[in-house]
Amino acid sequence: MIGYQNMPDHNFEKLKILIVDNNAFVAKTLFSVLEAFRVNNVFISGSLEDAEKKMREITFDVIFIDFMMENKIGIEFITKIRKEPSQKNDQAIPVILFTAFTDLQTITQARDSGITEVISKPFSPEHVFLKLKSVLSNEREFITVDDYLGPNRRRRQPNDEKWNEENDRRAR
Amino acid sequence: MMKSGMRRMTVVRDKELIINAEKAIRLVGKEFNGKLKQRVLDLETAIIKRNYKEASRLAYNLETEAATFGWPRVTRICKWLRKVLTNEYDRKPTEEEILVTLNTLKLITGEPEAEETGRDMALFTKLYPVLSAVIADI
C-alpha cells in the first residue's frame, strides 16, 4: 500500500484497487476506466466471499463496492470492514459505494455504514476520477464511537483540491 | 510561477486520463450494444416465467448500464420495470402494460447501432396512448 496521504500528485500507477460487483459488465466498465487512469493493479470480486478472501491476502488503497451486492448487503459488508479490520487492510481504508439508488434513505444508510464516498450510477469517467482523487487526497478524520465507525460524516472541507491561486474565488 | 506551470501540467494530464477513460468506455459500449438485444430477451423470459427475483436483478443491471452507454430511455424503462417487480409502486400495472413496455424495450433496442437521435422518441410517441400510465410513473 502506498498510503493515501503520501501519494504523488494524481499518480495512480501503484494503487491497488478492489472492485466488488456481481454485475460483470459494470465491473468490467469500471475496470476499463481505472485502467485508462493507469491504475496497474485492479482486482475484481464477483461475490462478498471472494472480496473478503482478497482482503485477507492483499492490501488495497481503495475499494469500490456496489450497493446491490447480494440483496443489498453491500452496506453490511462496509460495516464489517470498519468493525473488523484485517492484518492487510485497516478499518480506515477508503470505500466508494456505487449505486443507482440516490434517494435520501439509501444515501443516509450508506453514510451511516461508514462509506467514504458515493458514486451514482450511471457513472462518468470524470466522476470516478474526481471521487478517486477526493478519497486519496482529502482524508477525513476517522471516527470511532459506539454506534459509528467511519470517516467523519461532517465535511468541514470541500472535496475540491486545496486552495491555490488559480481556484481562488476572489480572483474571478 | 513554477507552481502554476506544474499545476497546468497536472490539469492537462488529468484531462488526458479522462479522455482515455472515455475512449475505453466507448469500446465497452460496443460490446454492450452487441449484447443488449439478448439481455432484453433474458429479462422478458424471466418475467414470463414469473421469476421476479431474477427479473428485477436483470432490470437493475440494464438500468445501471444502459445510460452509461447512451441508452437513457432503456434506463428509465428498466427502472420502472424494476420498481414494478419489487412492488415499489402503489398502483399495480396491468399485464398488458407490462407486455407493451417490454415490446417497446425490444423495439428500442432492435437496432443497437442506429443513431440515437430520434431512434426511440418516435416509438415513444407512437406508443404513448398505451404507455401513458407507464410514462407517468417513469
Side-chain angles (χ1 to χ4, degrees):
Chain A
M1 184 168 90
I2 64 169
Y4 337 123
Q5 292 156 319
N6 304 318
M7 192 189 73
D9 197 19
H10 312 165
N11 183 355
F12 298 147
E13 282 176 24
K14 290 181 182 170
L15 292 178
K16 285 197 177 84
I17 295 180
L18 177 64
I19 300 169
V20 189
D21 198 328
N22 52 2
N23 178 350
F25 216 88
V26 170
K28 187 180 177 179
T29 308
L30 189 55
F31 183 94
S32 304
V33 168
L34 294 171
E35 207 178 31
F37 293 161
R38 299 184 192 146
V39 182
N40 289 330
N41 299 293
V42 185
F43 300 78
I44 296 176
S45 282
S47 69
L48 295 178
E49 203 180 20
D50 184 60
E52 277 187 57
K53 187 172 171 277
K54 283 197 171 66
M55 287 186 72
R56 281 195 296 269
E57 294 165 357
I58 303 162
T59 302
F60 293 103
D61 295 289
V62 181
I63 295 174
F64 283 87
I65 186 166
D66 179 37
F67 176 74
M68 273 292 270
M69 281 298 291
E70 297 164 25
N71 288 329
K72 300 186 182 180
I73 57 171
I75 291 274
E76 286 172 32
F77 185 68
I78 298 165
T79 311
K80 198 174 175 188
I81 292 172
R82 298 302 186 215
K83 282 186 180 164
E84 299 167 22
S86 63
Q87 279 190 326
K88 291 278 183 183
N89 292 283
D90 69 43
Q91 59 187 169
I93 184 170
V95 179
I96 300 175
L97 180 84
F98 46 105
T99 177
F101 303 101
T102 48
D103 55 288
L104 185 63
Q105 192 191 352
T106 304
I107 299 301
T108 307
Q109 196 188 353
R111 185 200 63 180
D112 292 345
S113 72
I115 54 135
T116 318
E117 282 289 352
V118 178
I119 291 181
S120 61
K121 289 182 184 178
F123 53 78
S124 68
E126 192 172 7
H127 205 183
V128 176
F129 187 83
L130 292 175
K131 294 286 179 177
L132 187 57
K133 235 170 57 168
S134 163
V135 299
L136 291 165
S137 62
N138 200 356
E139 194 180 17
R140 279 144 52 202
E141 186 189 3
F142 195 83
I143 305 293
T144 310
V145 288
D146 288 346
D147 60 346
Y148 178 72
L149 286 171
N152 194 340
R153 289 172 285 188
R154 292 180 187 151
R155 290 172 188 265
R156 288 175 191 275
Q157 290 177 332
N159 281 336
D160 300 332
E161 291 172 82
K162 288 192 180 91
W163 170 86
N164 62 59
E165 64 269 42
E166 287 187 1
N167 65 15
D168 189 334
R169 64 184 172 81
R170 293 169 299 182
R172 283 180 207 144
Chain B
M1 193 69 183
M2 199 173 155
K3 270 187 184 173
S4 167
M6 281 179 74
R7 177 158 172 74
R8 257 181 233 116
M9 270 174 68
T10 306
V11 171
V12 169
R13 196 179 55 194
D14 288 0
K15 278 188 183 162
E16 190 191 315
L17 294 180
I18 291 167
I19 290 167
N20 285 346
E22 279 164 356
K23 281 181 195 162
I25 281 203
R26 276 198 290 277
L27 279 179
V28 184
K30 279 189 180 172
E31 195 185 328
F32 177 80
N33 287 352
K35 291 178 179 172
L36 186 53
K37 228 170 156 175
Q38 183 56 48
R39 292 184 56 184
V40 170
L41 289 177
D42 292 344
L43 172 62
E44 184 186 44
T45 307
I47 291 174
I48 289 169
K49 286 184 177 173
R50 300 187 187 277
N51 184 352
Y52 297 131
K53 195 180 169 191
E54 175 65 2
S56 65
R57 189 185 69 82
L58 294 171
Y60 175 78
N61 285 348
L62 269 178
E63 173 193 337
T64 55
E65 293 163 37
T68 303
F69 301 118
W71 298 85
R73 290 185 189 93
V74 171
T75 288
R76 288 171 68 194
I77 292 175
C78 287
K79 184 176 185 177
W80 180 82
L81 281 171
R82 192 246 309 154
K83 285 188 167 185
V84 166
L85 292 162
T86 50
N87 298 313
E88 285 181 50
Y89 286 123
D90 293 337
R91 185 186 69 87
K92 203 173 161 61
T94 63
E95 289 200 355
E96 193 200 352
E97 279 175 332
I98 294 175
L99 188 70
V100 172
T101 307
L102 279 169
N103 283 337
T104 307
L105 200 54
K106 283 199 281 187
L107 283 168
I108 289 174
T109 55
E111 290 175 65
E113 297 306 329
E115 285 293 314
E116 200 274 338
T117 321
R119 176 179 59 195
D120 36 20
M121 203 57 221
L123 288 163
F124 252 98
T125 312
K126 198 174 166 188
L127 292 164
Y128 190 83
V130 193
L131 274 172
S132 57
V134 174
I135 290 169
D137 282 341
I138 292 171

